[in-house]
Amino acid sequence: MKAFFVGLIFLILTFILAGLGLLLYPLMSVLGFLLCFVLMFVFVIFGIWLLGKLIILVWEALRPKREEKQKDKV
């Protein structure tokens, strides 16, 4: 129970100091780095998805041409 209250007091003091702006700069820098990595991850996933979508689009565009050529031969 004593450890709980010590942890609670520490969190309250941290929130008070962050509210005063003393801990705002380190928080913003960490959030900036985190946001940078999250955005890079999202853009990489989006790029892979877009590449796959493009490949499927080209594949579907070329596929009916092959079937038409085979029908013309028969």
Side-chain angles (χ1 to χ4, degrees):
M1 196 68 159
K2 186 177 180 180
F4 174 77
F5 285 121
V6 170
L8 185 63
I9 290 171
F10 176 78
L11 288 176
I12 290 171
L13 288 176
T14 304
F15 285 126
I16 289 172
L17 289 175
L20 294 175
L22 296 176
L23 297 178
L24 195 57
Y25 180 72
L27 178 67
M28 289 302 205
S29 63
V30 168
L31 286 178
F33 287 126
L34 182 67
L35 183 64
C36 181
F37 287 122
V38 167
L39 284 177
M40 284 192 307
F41 179 73
V42 167
F43 283 137
V44 166
I45 296 297
F46 179 71
I48 293 171
W49 173 80
L50 196 59
L51 178 65
K53 196 74 167 167
L54 180 67
I55 290 171
I56 291 172
L57 182 71
V58 170
W59 185 272
E60 292 296 323
L62 295 177
R63 196 171 185 183
K65 292 181 181 179
R66 290 183 182 175
E67 292 175 0
E68 290 175 5
K69 287 180 182 179
Q70 289 177 355
K71 289 180 183 177
D72 291 338
K73 290 181 181 178
V74 174

